[in-house]
Amino acid sequence: MTSATAPHSLHQAYALTPVINAAGSFTPLGVSRSSTHVAQSVAAALQSFFIINELQTLASERLSAFCGCEAAAVTHCVSAAITQAVAACITGTDQAAVAALPETHGRANAVVIPEGHCVNYGHPLVTDIRLAGATVVRAGSRDACSLDDIEQALDRPGVCCLLLVSSRLTAFQNLDTRGAVAAARQRGIPVVIDGAAQDMRIPELLSTGADGVLVSAHKYLASPTAGLVLGTRDFVQRFRAQEAGIGRGMKPSKEAIVGVLAALEERQAQDQVAWKKQQDEKVVLAVALLHKCPGIEVTTDPDPAGMPFQRVRVRCLEGEGMARAVVQALKAGSPSIWVMEHQLEQGAIQLELVALSEEEVRQVVDAIGSALCDQTSD
Ligand SMILES: *Cc1c(COP(=O)(O)O)cnc(C)c1O
């Protein structure tokens, strides 16, 4: 999936900063790198016309067969998919109601979401909900949400959907997801799960009984920017009905749908065991090389949301100030190296190596070593 020699010609032609992304599927850096097969399919798509509905039908067939759901569709991204999914729960396929959004004209429009799931992935997730004309009902507290909290929030008039987020960004991971889904379904309330970065856990998320699971195809699937909705035939139909309303600005491009098909073909052909081994080997390499650097403690952490790879955690023994200095030095270098920064307060940075070649792993470790030496000799 990863090309060892990234095409630097664009960086040269436009004098852009070359980047090594060890920060995961990070939107400000362009999220992921597509394979040659995906890039070539996309290039071919750009030079052709298609019947978009035919592409959507094909994507639905392929995605459903792969994920084990009744139907699927492609939209612009998961941010768009959240808005479109909420709209689907408000209007169904009623054409007048679809055209009227974001005016809801008295329809049920309250979306229940655990407070700790109201994450910010560059903007507040609740903005995606409110864009559909919905109001947000937060269940539980920032740090916890019990089944009682969910049931209390669901038992009010005007609830149109329960939205759950499966992400490393959520404040807690211990929600009884299956129980929450069942509580909503008992009341006839549809459930949508935002599993944007969870494309290797789709069957598990679908098995909760959710009506729709939303996944970013441009994260670990490494397609062009695209949001996938996977779920029941009925839900996907209501989702796609929004294309005649607020979904217009969220449409998937022809090249995105073709890119999703190509990325899916690669994922299907991929030996998951060999892939996981490759990821583990990069982690082992990084840890072994980092152990030679002074002033740090190196450990590995599993992906917090259950994706099948580990991250490398580098804690600076001198604390937060040193960690911040290292981050700045890495960014200022050439290529500019970006790492995960959410544990800086603990003096730690994290490296996600999935998108990196072995050569890039070595470059990252070298740069960290240099940054540490420069800081201690200052
Ligand atoms: C990345 C992410 C999104 C946004 O996905 P896009 O497809 O980039 O719009 C939404 N929710 C979560 C939990 C994410 O990680």
Side-chain angles (χ1 to χ4, degrees):
M1 247 161 78
T2 305
S3 59
T5 46
H8 282 304
S9 53
L10 287 174
H11 298 87
Q12 276 162 8
Y14 296 115
L16 298 169
T17 308
V19 172
I20 294 180
N21 173 19
S25 58
F26 188 47
T27 302
L29 296 181
V31 193
S32 61
R33 280 193 289 190
S34 297
S35 68
T36 304
H37 174 55
V38 170
Q40 286 172 348
S41 302
V42 167
L46 282 167
Q47 298 188 304
S48 309
F49 291 110
F50 299 91
I51 298 167
I52 297 294
N53 259 330
E54 206 171 276
L55 283 180
Q56 281 279 27
T57 303
L58 181 61
S60 179
E61 285 166 9
R62 294 281 179 91
L63 287 164
S64 309
F66 181 64
C67 303
C69 53
E70 284 177 15
V74 184
T75 186
H76 182 68
C77 62
V78 164
S79 180
I82 293 168
T83 305
Q84 236 174 303
V86 168
C89 296
I90 296 173
T91 67
T93 54
D94 182 319
Q95 285 178 9
V98 167
L101 284 189
E103 293 295 338
T104 54
H105 297 308
R107 285 175 174 266
N109 72 336
V111 173
V112 172
I113 177 171
E115 167 82 52
H117 288 200
C118 296
V119 299
N120 185 316
Y121 57 80
H123 83 163
L125 187 144
V126 295
T127 298
D128 299 327
I129 298 172
R130 291 173 42 239
L131 265 174
T135 57
V136 177
V137 174
R138 295 158 191 258
S141 69
R142 185 89 199 113
D143 306 312
C145 184
S146 68
L147 220 43
D148 267 359
D149 294 328
I150 295 276
E151 300 208 358
Q152 250 177 47
L154 290 172
D155 285 333
R156 67 173 67 211
V159 174
C160 71
C161 117
L162 169 65
L163 186 87
L164 304 173
V165 179
S166 176
S167 167
R168 62 170 80 131
L169 301 170
T170 52
F172 51 85
Q173 305 285 348
N174 59 347
L175 176 77
D176 174 1
T177 305
R178 278 166 205 283
V181 175
R185 308 249 359 217
Q186 265 164 27
R187 292 163 175 79
I189 296 168
V191 184
V192 176
I193 298 183
D194 168 5
Q198 312 288 307
D199 59 73
M200 293 171 189
R201 296 180 56 224
I202 294 169
E204 188 186 328
L205 297 178
L206 282 167
S207 77
T208 59
D211 297 75
V213 171
L214 314 179
V215 173
S216 301
H218 46 286
K219 289 185 172 172
Y220 297 99
L221 265 170
S223 82
T225 303
L228 311 179
V229 55
L230 310 151
T232 63
R233 200 173 307 285
D234 185 47
F235 183 76
V236 171
Q237 197 184 359
R238 285 182 279 154
F239 185 99
R240 286 209 58 201
Q242 308 307 318
E243 290 167 8
I246 59 170
R248 169 69 191 204
M250 306 174 181
K251 62 186 169 296
S253 63
K254 60 187 177 183
E255 64 273 19
I257 305 177
V258 168
V260 166
L261 292 170
L264 195 66
E265 281 158 13
E266 288 204 320
R267 174 63 64 81
Q268 278 173 308
Q270 196 176 67
D271 177 343
Q272 284 304 114
V273 176
W275 183 85
K276 190 172 180 305
K277 188 159 162 271
Q278 224 175 29
Q279 304 315 315
D280 287 344
E281 280 167 5
K282 286 188 281 182
V283 168
V284 168
L285 173 69
V287 170
L289 294 172
L290 281 162
H291 272 311
K292 296 175 189 148
C293 297
I296 53 172
E297 176 194 73
V298 186
T299 50
T300 58
D301 288 336
D303 179 72
M307 287 282 273
F309 46 78
Q310 300 208 303
R311 302 172 183 174
V312 179
R313 184 173 190 269
V314 180
R315 190 173 72 82
C316 296
L317 300 179
E318 277 184 43
E320 183 179 348
M322 175 62 102
R324 287 189 184 279
V326 169
V327 165
Q328 285 319 313
L330 291 175
K331 281 185 190 166
S334 183
S336 177
I337 296 172
W338 294 58
V339 300
M340 290 178 161
E341 300 179 19
H342 58 279
Q343 291 189 358
L344 276 179
E345 279 171 24
Q346 299 158 42
I349 59 174
Q350 284 186 317
L351 312 175
E352 190 181 289
L353 306 177
V354 174
L356 273 59
S357 65
E358 187 187 309
E359 182 190 319
E360 288 171 324
V361 172
R362 290 179 189 275
Q363 274 177 281
V364 171
V365 173
D366 282 350
I368 292 173
S370 305
L372 287 166
C373 289
D374 289 351
Q375 294 305 319
T376 33
S377 60
D378 276 355

